[in-house]
Amino acid sequence: MSKFPIPSTLQDLESDPFDLLPYPVGFADDDEATRADSFDQLVLFLEQGNRTLVNGGIETFENIENTQEEEFQEWNCEDRIQALYTLVRKSASLSPSTRTRLVHVICQAVCQISCILASVAKKETSYVVPQELRDALACHLYMLYTIMIFMESEIKAGKALGNTCAQGKGGKSQDKDNAQHIQTLREACASTMLTVTNAMALYRSNLWKRGVPDENVISLPCRVAYQMLENSTSVTTRKLSSGDVALEIIAISLESNDGLRNTVVSALMDMMHSNEHMAPLVAELCCIDKGDCNDSQDYRENKLATELLREIGRLDGGAYSTSDTSGKANGIKNVAPFLNELAEKKPLLVLEHIHIVLHHLNSEPYNLRSAIIIAIGHLLVRRMETDHTGDEVNPNTEHANENNGETKLQKSNEMKEKLYNILLDHVYDVSSYTRSTVLKTWSALIEAQSLPTDKLIPVTKLAIDRLQDKTVMVRRNAMQVLTLVLENNPFTESLNPVPYENKMEEVKKYVLENLPINLKEAFEESMNNLEDENISDKSEIEAAVIRAVTDEVQSSPDRIDDVEENVEFVKKLKVLQFLQSAIEFINTFESANDAFQSMLLSSNKSDVTEALHFFVRARHFQLPCAVTGIKQALSLMWSDEQSIQDEVLAAFVDVFICETNGERLPPKQIVDNLIKLVGKSNASELACIEEAIARLVKDELIPSEVFLILWSVAAKAAGRPRSIAMTILSMGATADSGIVDSASRLRHLLQAGLGDYTEEHRDWASAKSAAYALQRVSRVKPDPSSAKFLVLEQIVERLSIIIQGEWCDDDSEQDTCAWFGATEEAINAIFAICPAPEQVARMIIVGMIYSTFELGKSGTLSEQFCHSLRLSRFFFVIGHISLKLLVYSEVISGAVRSANAARTISKQEQADRVKSTKRHGKEIDENNDIEAELGLAQAAEAETENIVAEIAEKEIIGRGLIEVFSPLVVRVVANENGRLSSKILMQSSVLTLCKFMCISRSFCEKHLPLLFTAIENSKRDITLRANTVIALGDLAFRFPNEVEPYTSKIYSGLSDDSMRVRLHTLMVLTHLILNDMVKVKGQVCEIALCLRDSEIRIRDMARLLFHELSKRSNNPIYNLLPEIISRLSNMSVKKDDFRSIMSFLLNFIKKERQAEMIVEKLCQRFPKCSTISQKANIAYCLAHVKLNEKCIKILNENFNHYKDSLFDEDVLRNFMAIVIKTKKFAKPEMKQYLEEWEGKLKTHSEMGLEDEKANKNAEHEKKRIAKRSDRNKKRTTKEDQSIHNDECVSSDDENYTDGKGIELSGKEKRNKTPSTRRKKRILTNVN
């Protein structure tokens, strides 16, 4: 029997059976010095005992009867135990030297006993040591354990390792020395504990009888190891706490004794719950269990890992909540990483037992779900590696029979498929963290080449779908998945669909021509049965035949002979499947343009950055969506954030200027890229491309050789490339005018864009591009000796010819439409480069008068009519020239004002210099002169403005050459009796009228009714209405007071049948409202309805308008909400549309005061509602307001307003939603208030239901009675009519005849005469 049973605590040694004293008998502690000497004496006593042990060895414990009593007492007596107890209990108060000696004494004793045990076991394996040795080992091991626990507790409490604040001079140095001292002792103790643990494990049969260990003894190393691991919170502290040694201690203890396993598992689970750093350490412990880190061996025998997985599987995830304050939620959070850590280190082990924890995928803690997802990722990566190397899941399978091996492989494949499906399903997890984790896991699988080909397209579609996620990190990870899928696709480096489609048609033709006989006959019969050449039906039949032959080949590959034809057919079939997969893969990306655009338009910078990176990679793989995406991204060149502009510019360079490795492309290829880009762009995209190219030219990122090649293309190419090259040149000239502004290059521009080729082919696109490029040329003064001036004279002459339309084909409307764009840019160019543009404009108009109206030399009309297209061109020219004259006059006015301001500043500076040199008396005179001159300057500036205003108001339209034709324009726009049928003429005349109205205020005010009449009469001309709406925006900006009465008519465009008109109207109104040119009134309800428009651009613009309005300090949305709710309620708006609009708008009510006011206003609207659906909508609005406690009180105070409507299920549901939402943040006293209000809601709801049921029953009964009464009245009327007819037939006497004078018999009389009984029944019914 053991004489030293392990006590529960150190203080238990003072009780039975030990009965030790706090201090030995005779312990001197009169003062500190004496006390220290007494401790030293005790340590010295222990050191002497250790020497005896070293000299005696095992004989110290053997043959006690033959051993001298004194020697035995010196080693194993109670005095030694008493000394150990006293020193260990007071170890914290010992001097550093004494404490060090004590630790060394204990460590030496434990190590020596371990050595004795080892030496004895080596000599005789069956030998069992005496009980005295076991007692000595237990005693010293417990003392070592206790002193280690004390040191670890000091560390944990922050009393060492420099965590305490030193006091006084030299405190930091002393604290550092103390930390170093304790660290040395910790390392010595840990090493000793590992030594004795090894000894107890290796020589268990020698240490205990029949090899049954004392669990109290062998658990001591584990108990101290737990404390060491708890202190291993980081890499540094793990080294200081000897964390690796602690792991080895636990692993060795578990290996030697299975009885400790349950205790260790419980302890490890508790530690993982309490410490967030423990999960990786425990996973590492599972790897060193049995001393084997190889996952492919003994993976089924790792009982520690298996038991830990079972414990995790038993966790009750449903009982935990993120709002839990008891620490249980944090416990789950700390335990969860163990799964993914273990799966990374021991994937086959976790795969074997993954079913234990899979049910947690449906539990509440998202940390646990995320950890399982990560673990599944590690398992699938390892599983694919195993498949590639040919290994089986179980290494012992190679010794099993073949059928068993196939079964195992089948189960493994089923489990793998199940895990992949879990990842596919949980991409829609309720937690954004878990969704993000799933996408990261897919990224890891793709990078590890572990994504099966059959999962490629589903994963791609899932990632595209998650681009619409509401969380930024999910969208970012989804875009990263798409980028990785693209980079690791199983197809070729080029994903251009055209070669794949051509090759697929070729292979499909071969397959269909070489079908097996049975399928070929069926295919030909099906094709012959087609009644007409229906392409879709034909494609369906071909696809069905290909699927059938594919299934046949896959189901019975043995039937395929080794004949060369059959082998070739199978190869072609596989090639066809590959091509179909490739095209489906490409189309998946092509169909995701909307999702990519939403990423580009996101307000989050990371979304934009990830989208740009994806488009760069997609461009290098030649995906068509890349160019589309980059063009959409170029709109971000106008972003307010410089970083986003830089990202867009970098993406533009990576796609069109540089190669994949960052090196610049050859100039010819850069030109080809830019021509392809510009050739497929619309007007808005061209503006963005111009800004990007201008920035690149400014930063010298486009080589000069590129522009030389572009000049060559502009001069020699035919068709579109010619005009596109000049357009790109003009874009570059925006930043560097030298690209076009020289005599030689202007001559090239004249020949390429305005020369014989343009005239011969009527290439209006080239003329337009050339005119656009000319607008980058600076104006020159008339100088006949200047080569540039002479070239510009020739250019103006050619531009005038183009403007007059002498090359146009009067029989082609399409030619005239193309001419409009070229002429607009040509007029702009003339006003940019010509020294006297008004004179050139006059000559152009005079020339067009003669050609349009067929005037003879006498100035009279030679014909009674003019061509509609010629008149359209004439109207367009005079309208645009008049507008450019206004701009030109304002430019001159600005130049005059600038010159006057410069002259004034110069005089002021001169006066300041004079001040310092002249005497005081003269200064006053000079100042007066300066002030007088300044007053004259202000007057001159005002006079200049008046002159410009008079020019605009009277000269351009009122008294000039253009004024002659304004009545004609008005008459054409009026189109009385609809005599004019040309759409182009009407569009041109209305546009010209709008331009005239932009110039003159009086002209605008006079003809605004005519303009709106023209819009109303153009129900079939969408272009006219769309253009006029934009013109109305310009008019409202220039003359807001005149247009303001017609604002409601502008709003009516929002309900137009044409999407284009609605979009233009909303754009104009957005511009006017945000610039305070139009007041936001009740018509804003029409804009709110745009939030549910079928066109996404209209919806997005409406959202943008409300977002911008919400940013204003007065938040006009709050003021507009009651009016919007009222109008929408009275309109026939669908329930879903109303609620979607209001849920969006109510999000802008963020101030508590505004929320309180809107709640009160909504409550007061209940009595005014005429239908229960309107009341339900009001309740829905209340449920979506951000409520506070005061809002709840307002709702309760206004209970009488809505109590009568609570019988409706929809109304009650919305109010109950308010209760549930408010309870989450309510204080205890508020919760009681809510419960009372909730009770009132439910009570009145039940009462209302009963009343409503009674009302329905009463109404039903009323209808039933009314219906029965009507039926009785009809019946009575019919009977009365019958009686009346009978009385008329009867004669005055009682004899009845048959109408022939023959008297009837009695029976016949009864048949003819109504019975008395029947008469009574009729009277009763009537009463």
Side-chain angles (χ1 to χ4, degrees):
M1 182 177 178
S2 175
K3 294 182 179 179
F4 193 89
I6 302 299
S8 298
T9 61
L10 185 64
Q11 283 72 22
D12 290 347
L13 291 176
E14 297 182 10
S15 58
D16 187 70
F18 307 99
D19 295 327
L20 299 179
L21 300 173
Y23 296 97
V25 177
F27 186 84
D29 58 350
D30 297 336
D31 52 31
E32 289 297 329
T34 306
R35 183 183 180 87
D37 290 340
S38 299
F39 283 133
D40 288 340
Q41 291 298 322
L42 292 176
V43 174
L44 181 60
F45 169 70
L46 295 176
E47 290 173 344
Q48 291 174 353
N50 282 2
R51 286 193 291 271
T52 301
L53 179 63
V54 171
N55 295 330
I58 188 61
E59 295 177 357
T60 307
F61 307 99
E62 290 181 338
N63 302 322
I64 300 176
E65 300 82 6
N66 301 325
T67 305
Q68 295 180 7
E69 189 68 19
E70 294 81 4
E71 295 178 358
F72 175 73
Q73 289 297 334
E74 287 178 1
W75 167 249
N76 201 27
C77 63
E78 291 185 4
D79 293 341
R80 181 177 180 86
I81 299 175
Q82 176 67 64
L84 284 170
Y85 170 65
T86 301
L87 290 170
V88 170
R89 189 172 68 88
K90 292 295 183 181
S91 60
S93 59
L94 297 178
S95 65
S97 59
T98 305
R99 190 176 189 181
T100 302
R101 289 173 60 196
L102 171 63
V103 171
H104 287 165
V105 164
I106 297 174
C107 291
Q108 183 184 17
V110 172
C111 290
Q112 186 59 35
I113 294 174
S114 300
C115 291
I116 292 172
L117 179 61
S119 62
V120 169
K122 289 178 181 179
K123 290 180 181 179
E124 188 176 353
T125 56
S126 61
Y127 176 80
V128 179
V129 299
Q131 180 65 40
E132 285 74 15
L133 187 143
R134 289 194 289 273
D135 292 340
L137 177 62
C139 175
H140 287 77
L141 183 59
Y142 179 74
M143 297 301 174
L144 176 63
Y145 157 78
T146 304
I147 201 166
M148 289 181 71
I149 290 294
F150 286 169
M151 286 191 292
E152 294 300 325
S153 298
E154 290 180 16
I155 298 296
K156 195 171 184 179
K159 295 181 179 179
L161 293 178
N163 291 333
T164 57
C165 297
Q167 299 290 334
K169 185 177 180 180
K172 290 185 178 180
S173 177
Q174 181 181 357
D175 190 56
K176 185 177 180 180
D177 293 340
N178 184 36
Q180 185 64 37
H181 166 71
I182 292 181
Q183 180 57 33
T184 304
L185 298 181
R186 293 173 74 194
E187 292 175 357
C189 293
S191 177
T192 303
M193 191 63 77
L194 179 60
T195 301
V196 71
T197 304
N198 266 316
M200 290 190 294
L202 293 173
Y203 313 117
R204 181 175 59 180
S205 59
N206 303 104
L207 184 58
W208 284 285
K209 294 178 181 180
R210 292 182 295 277
V212 180
D214 185 352
E215 290 191 3
N216 291 328
V217 176
I218 63 173
S219 64
L220 289 175
C222 292
R223 289 163 62 183
V224 75
Y226 303 151
Q227 190 72 38
M228 295 162 65
L229 290 176
E230 286 186 0
N231 288 337
S232 302
T233 55
S234 64
V235 176
T236 304
T237 55
R238 176 175 176 176
K239 183 177 180 181
L240 296 175
S241 300
S242 302
D244 295 335
V245 175
L247 293 176
E248 289 187 38
I249 289 172
I250 298 174
I252 293 170
S253 300
L254 287 173
E255 180 183 359
S256 62
N257 189 359
D258 284 340
L260 286 177
R261 195 168 305 279
N262 292 336
T263 306
V264 171
V265 168
S266 299
L268 293 177
M269 287 296 296
D270 289 340
M271 287 194 294
M272 283 196 292
H273 267 277
S274 305
N275 303 280
E276 61 181 357
H277 70 279
M278 279 301 302
L281 295 175
V282 176
E284 187 175 341
L285 174 61
C286 294
C287 292
I288 64 174
D289 187 27
K290 287 184 173 294
D292 186 10
C293 294
N294 190 353
D295 187 40
S296 64
Q297 298 178 3
D298 295 333
Y299 72 99
R300 290 179 182 271
E301 303 300 328
N302 196 321
K303 295 182 180 179
L304 174 62
T306 305
E307 289 298 325
L308 287 169
L309 288 174
R310 287 198 179 102
E311 288 295 325
I312 293 175
R314 295 188 189 105
L315 292 175
D316 185 10
Y320 296 90
S321 172
T322 54
S323 59
D324 180 33
T325 58
S326 62
K328 294 181 180 179
N330 284 334
I332 287 253
K333 178 182 177 182
N334 297 337
V335 171
F338 170 76
L339 290 173
N340 49 278
E341 292 286 344
L342 184 63
E344 184 178 7
K345 294 178 171 63
K346 292 274 190 178
L348 297 183
L349 170 69
V350 177
L351 181 61
E352 184 70 18
H353 301 90
I354 188 65
H355 62 277
I356 297 174
V357 297
L358 282 182
H359 68 277
H360 281 307
L361 288 171
N362 299 321
S363 61
E364 183 177 351
Y366 73 88
N367 311 90
L368 201 52
R369 298 198 303 272
S370 300
I372 296 173
I373 293 298
I374 297 173
I376 289 174
H378 292 310
L379 301 183
L380 291 174
V381 169
R382 181 56 186 270
R383 178 66 239 178
M384 294 299 292
E385 292 175 355
T386 305
D387 290 345
H388 292 160
T389 58
D391 296 335
E392 297 294 339
V393 177
N394 188 351
N396 298 323
T397 303
E398 61 184 1
H399 303 297
N401 57 49
E402 184 177 353
N403 294 332
N404 188 33
E406 292 178 357
T407 303
K408 294 287 186 182
L409 182 60
Q410 182 180 1
K411 290 182 178 179
S412 174
N413 291 334
E414 290 176 356
M415 175 57 72
K416 182 174 66 174
E417 187 67 21
K418 181 179 180 181
L419 296 179
Y420 277 118
N421 291 334
I422 287 173
L423 292 181
L424 290 173
D425 294 341
H426 278 269
V427 79
Y428 299 106
D429 194 277
V430 294
S431 170
S432 60
Y433 295 100
T434 304
R435 296 197 299 272
S436 178
T437 301
V438 172
L439 292 170
K440 288 180 181 178
T441 303
W442 282 119
S443 298
L445 289 172
I446 296 168
E447 286 183 323
Q449 303 293 324
S450 299
L451 182 68
T453 53
D454 61 327
K455 296 291 185 296
L456 178 66
I457 292 177
V459 169
T460 304
K461 291 181 178 179
L462 282 177
I464 290 172
D465 180 71
R466 287 300 86 205
L467 294 180
Q468 307 294 331
D469 199 280
K470 63 182 180 180
T471 310
V472 174
M473 63 178 177
V474 177
R475 298 196 299 268
R476 180 173 62 248
N477 288 313
M479 190 58 83
Q480 291 172 357
V481 169
L482 291 174
T483 304
L484 289 171
V485 164
L486 198 61
E487 293 175 346
N488 296 275
N489 76 86
F491 312 106
T492 59
E493 293 183 357
S494 173
L495 293 177
N496 187 355
V498 176
Y500 286 98
E501 292 171 351
N502 295 337
K503 183 67 176 176
M504 188 179 72
E505 291 299 325
E506 178 185 341
V507 177
K508 184 192 291 185
K509 182 179 179 182
Y510 176 88
V511 171
L512 294 175
E513 290 176 352
N514 296 273
L515 288 171
I517 297 176
N518 57 338
L519 292 176
K520 190 170 185 179
E521 293 176 355
F523 172 66
E524 291 176 352
E525 182 180 357
S526 300
M527 296 299 290
N528 293 332
N529 291 335
L530 287 177
E531 296 180 356
D532 52 1
E533 292 295 329
N534 193 324
I535 298 176
S536 61
D537 292 344
K538 183 180 178 181
S539 301
E540 290 179 4
I541 293 174
E542 292 177 351
V545 171
I546 292 173
R547 285 196 301 270
V549 71
T550 303
D551 294 339
E552 182 177 340
V553 171
Q554 291 177 350
S555 60
S556 55
D558 297 337
R559 294 176 57 186
I560 304 300
D561 301 331
D562 292 334
V563 181
E564 184 177 353
E565 293 180 358
N566 292 341
V567 173
E568 181 66 20
F569 179 78
V570 173
K571 288 182 179 178
K572 292 290 186 181
L573 198 59
K574 292 181 179 179
V575 171
L576 182 61
Q577 292 175 342
F578 175 83
L579 293 172
Q580 288 175 337
S581 300
I583 291 175
E584 184 181 4
F585 180 73
I586 295 170
N587 291 337
T588 302
F589 283 99
E590 291 301 306
S591 61
N593 281 330
D594 292 341
F596 294 143
Q597 186 177 9
S598 66
M599 289 287 287
L600 288 173
L601 298 179
S602 172
S603 58
N604 188 276
K605 181 182 175 182
S606 66
D607 288 349
V608 179
T609 304
E610 292 294 338
L612 291 173
H613 291 169
F614 169 78
F615 286 130
V616 170
R617 298 300 300 144
R619 176 59 178 169
H620 293 311
F621 282 93
Q622 300 179 19
L623 267 180
C625 68
V627 176
T628 305
I630 288 295
K631 288 198 293 186
Q632 293 171 346
L634 286 174
S635 62
L636 298 173
M637 289 298 299
W638 315 107
S639 173
D640 295 333
E641 297 186 24
Q642 183 64 37
S643 58
I644 291 181
Q645 294 182 22
D646 295 340
E647 288 284 353
V648 174
L649 206 61
F652 186 89
V653 171
D654 290 339
V655 171
F656 300 108
I657 308 298
C658 294
E659 296 180 355
T660 310
N661 55 8
E663 296 182 0
R664 190 174 294 172
L665 290 169
K668 182 66 173 65
Q669 189 171 350
I670 295 176
V671 170
D672 292 340
N673 290 341
L674 294 178
I675 288 177
K676 290 178 182 178
L677 174 65
V678 174
K680 297 180 180 180
S681 302
N682 55 33
S684 61
E685 291 170 348
L686 287 175
C688 301
I689 295 171
E690 180 176 357
E691 178 67 16
I693 290 179
R695 286 273 301 272
L696 294 176
V697 171
K698 185 177 180 181
D699 297 339
E700 299 182 354
L701 293 176
I702 297 181
S704 57
E705 294 84 357
V706 170
F707 296 105
L708 295 177
I709 297 173
L710 286 170
W711 278 114
S712 177
V713 172
K716 300 177 182 179
R720 288 275 294 161
R722 190 186 193 95
S723 61
I724 294 171
M726 284 186 282
T727 300
I728 299 173
L729 287 169
S730 64
M731 291 177 177
T734 303
D736 183 8
S737 59
I739 294 175
V740 296
D741 194 0
S742 67
S744 60
R745 290 180 176 174
L746 287 173
R747 194 174 291 110
H748 283 305
L749 196 62
L750 173 63
Q751 295 173 357
L754 306 173
D756 296 336
Y757 176 87
T758 303
E759 180 179 358
E760 180 180 352
H761 295 85
R762 288 198 298 276
D763 189 357
W764 302 117
S766 296
K768 178 180 179 180
S769 300
Y772 188 70
L774 286 168
Q775 297 172 39
R776 273 68 181 163
V777 178
S778 59
R779 196 190 307 270
V780 296
K781 295 180 180 180
D783 185 5
S785 62
S786 171
K788 180 179 177 181
F789 174 74
L790 296 176
V791 174
L792 286 176
E793 276 193 331
Q794 298 177 21
I795 289 175
V796 169
E797 182 180 349
R798 297 296 288 183
L799 290 174
S800 300
I801 295 174
I802 290 173
I803 295 170
Q804 290 176 358
E806 295 180 2
W807 305 341
C808 281
D809 183 4
D810 290 341
D811 297 329
S812 173
E813 290 186 355
Q814 186 177 1
D815 191 58
T816 297
C817 292
W819 172 88
F820 284 139
T823 299
E824 181 179 1
E825 296 300 336
I827 294 174
N828 294 341
I830 285 178
F831 276 86
I833 63 176
C834 190
E838 69 279 2
Q839 298 178 8
V840 177
R842 182 182 182 281
M843 289 188 293
I844 291 172
I845 292 175
V846 170
M848 289 195 73
I849 290 173
Y850 280 90
S851 62
T852 302
F853 300 103
E854 300 291 338
L855 293 180
K857 294 182 180 179
S858 61
T860 60
L861 285 170
S862 60
E863 300 288 347
Q864 297 298 321
F865 66 94
C866 66
H867 199 283
S868 61
L869 293 182
R870 289 190 174 224
L871 187 58
S872 301
R873 294 195 293 268
F874 177 70
F875 282 166
F876 182 84
V877 171
I878 61 175
H880 199 61
I881 286 179
S882 63
L883 197 62
K884 295 302 294 184
L885 285 172
L886 174 65
V887 175
Y888 182 64
S889 61
E890 289 180 350
V891 170
I892 294 176
S893 172
V896 172
R897 286 196 297 270
S898 299
N900 291 337
R903 186 164 53 252
T904 302
I905 292 173
S906 175
K907 289 183 177 180
Q908 183 65 46
E909 292 176 351
Q910 183 179 1
D912 291 339
R913 288 194 297 271
V914 170
K915 265 186 180 182
S916 59
T917 57
K918 292 193 174 183
R919 291 179 301 174
H920 179 70
K922 291 185 178 181
E923 283 183 18
I924 298 175
D925 297 335
E926 290 290 340
N927 288 338
N928 293 334
D929 293 340
I930 294 296
E931 290 176 2
E933 289 185 8
L934 289 174
L936 292 174
Q938 293 175 355
E941 184 175 350
E943 182 66 22
T944 302
E945 293 178 357
N946 292 333
I947 293 173
V948 172
E950 185 176 357
I951 291 173
E953 187 68 29
K954 297 180 180 179
E955 294 295 333
I956 298 177
I957 301 298
R959 292 194 293 265
L961 182 62
I962 297 174
E963 188 271 338
V964 178
F965 298 98
S966 58
L968 177 61
V969 173
V970 171
R971 185 171 182 181
V972 171
V973 172
N975 192 15
E976 296 177 359
N977 301 323
R979 295 171 60 188
L980 304 176
S981 60
S982 173
K983 285 188 176 182
I984 293 181
L985 176 59
M986 293 304 301
Q987 293 169 9
S988 178
S989 61
V990 171
L991 183 61
T992 302
L993 178 66
C994 292
K995 290 179 179 179
F996 286 171
M997 292 167 67
C998 282
I999 297 170
S1000 171
R1001 185 186 300 272
S1002 58
F1003 191 87
C1004 173
E1005 187 175 6
K1006 180 180 179 182
H1007 294 96
L1008 269 173
L1010 173 63
L1011 185 60
F1012 284 102
T1013 302
I1015 295 175
E1016 293 173 358
N1017 295 335
S1018 60
K1019 296 299 182 183
R1020 296 182 180 180
D1021 195 343
I1022 296 175
T1023 303
L1024 188 148
R1025 297 201 307 275
N1027 292 344
T1028 308
V1029 165
I1030 296 176
L1032 283 171
D1034 296 334
L1035 290 174
F1037 192 80
R1038 183 162 173 80
F1039 306 123
N1041 295 332
E1042 283 69 23
V1043 178
E1044 196 272 337
Y1046 301 92
T1047 303
S1048 60
K1049 294 189 175 183
I1050 299 178
Y1051 274 96
S1052 64
L1054 295 174
S1055 57
D1056 196 278
D1057 295 335
S1058 170
M1059 179 275 297
R1060 184 180 169 194
V1061 176
R1062 295 199 306 273
L1063 179 61
H1064 286 191
T1065 304
L1066 185 58
M1067 289 173 60
V1068 167
L1069 287 173
T1070 301
H1071 171 72
L1072 295 176
I1073 290 172
L1074 295 181
N1075 287 280
D1076 296 325
M1077 305 307 297
V1078 170
K1079 295 180 181 179
V1080 185
K1081 295 182 179 179
Q1083 295 94 340
V1084 76
C1085 179
E1086 302 292 336
I1087 299 179
L1089 286 173
C1090 292
L1091 293 169
R1092 298 290 290 176
D1093 197 276
S1094 58
E1095 174 62 31
I1096 185 172
R1097 291 179 295 175
I1098 295 177
R1099 297 198 301 269
D1100 290 341
M1101 185 159 295
R1103 286 175 176 270
L1104 175 63
L1105 173 59
F1106 285 113
H1107 273 294
E1108 293 299 323
L1109 286 176
S1110 67
K1111 294 178 182 178
R1112 298 188 173 182
S1113 57
N1114 57 346
N1115 193 5
I1117 296 179
Y1118 162 73
N1119 298 321
L1120 294 169
L1121 265 178
E1123 184 68 21
I1124 293 175
I1125 294 173
S1126 176
R1127 286 178 175 255
L1128 290 179
S1129 298
N1130 296 328
M1131 296 169 64
S1132 57
V1133 180
K1134 294 181 181 179
K1135 174 181 174 181
D1136 293 340
D1137 292 345
F1138 178 90
R1139 298 193 172 187
S1140 176
I1141 292 170
M1142 295 314 303
S1143 63
F1144 173 76
L1145 295 179
L1146 288 169
N1147 288 328
F1148 297 111
I1149 306 300
K1150 297 179 180 179
K1151 296 181 180 180
E1152 292 187 355
R1153 179 58 181 166
Q1154 291 178 347
E1156 295 163 7
M1157 295 294 293
I1158 203 70
V1159 166
E1160 188 170 3
K1161 290 178 181 179
L1162 289 173
C1163 288
Q1164 293 171 358
R1165 289 196 60 83
F1166 274 98
K1168 301 177 183 178
C1169 295
S1170 57
T1171 63
I1172 192 63
S1173 61
Q1174 292 180 354
K1175 295 181 179 180
N1177 288 336
I1178 299 298
Y1180 177 85
C1181 295
L1182 286 171
H1184 283 73
V1185 177
K1186 296 179 181 178
L1187 303 174
N1188 54 23
E1189 293 184 1
K1190 191 170 182 180
C1191 292
I1192 300 300
K1193 293 179 180 179
I1194 293 173
L1195 284 170
N1196 196 14
E1197 292 170 358
N1198 291 272
F1199 185 79
N1200 292 333
H1201 291 316
Y1202 56 82
K1203 68 178 182 179
D1204 295 335
S1205 58
L1206 291 174
F1207 70 89
D1208 184 73
E1209 182 181 355
D1210 197 5
V1211 175
L1212 179 63
R1213 182 170 57 250
N1214 286 309
F1215 277 106
M1216 295 308 296
I1218 296 174
V1219 174
I1220 295 171
K1221 182 172 65 174
T1222 312
K1223 281 184 177 180
K1224 294 180 180 179
F1225 63 85
K1227 297 177 182 178
E1229 58 273 14
M1230 189 62 190
K1231 286 185 177 180
Q1232 183 178 0
Y1233 191 84
L1234 282 169
E1235 289 174 358
E1236 295 176 359
W1237 183 50
E1238 183 180 5
K1240 289 170 62 177
L1241 291 172
K1242 292 180 178 179
T1243 301
H1244 281 78
S1245 174
E1246 295 172 358
M1247 294 170 57
L1249 284 173
E1250 294 176 358
D1251 294 343
E1252 182 67 13
K1253 186 177 180 180
N1255 291 335
K1256 287 183 178 179
N1257 292 337
E1259 187 69 23
H1260 178 72
E1261 187 65 22
K1262 184 177 179 182
K1263 289 181 179 179
R1264 190 177 66 82
I1265 293 173
K1267 188 174 181 181
R1268 187 175 63 183
S1269 177
D1270 292 341
R1271 187 168 63 249
N1272 291 337
K1273 286 181 180 180
K1274 290 180 181 178
R1275 185 174 180 181
T1276 303
T1277 304
K1278 186 175 182 181
E1279 294 291 346
D1280 289 344
Q1281 184 67 31
S1282 176
I1283 294 171
H1284 177 71
N1285 292 337
D1286 289 341
E1287 290 176 353
C1288 291
V1289 171
S1290 62
S1291 58
D1292 295 334
D1293 55 350
E1294 295 181 357
N1295 296 325
Y1296 289 87
T1297 64
D1298 61 356
K1300 297 180 180 180
I1302 301 174
E1303 186 175 354
L1304 299 175
S1305 64
K1307 185 177 179 180
E1308 291 172 337
K1309 289 179 182 180
R1310 287 195 299 271
N1311 292 335
K1312 286 284 187 176
T1313 306
S1315 66
T1316 306
R1317 192 176 297 156
R1318 184 179 176 189
K1319 290 180 180 179
K1320 291 181 179 179
R1321 187 171 67 250
I1322 292 173
L1323 292 173
T1324 304
N1325 291 335
V1326 170
N1327 292 332

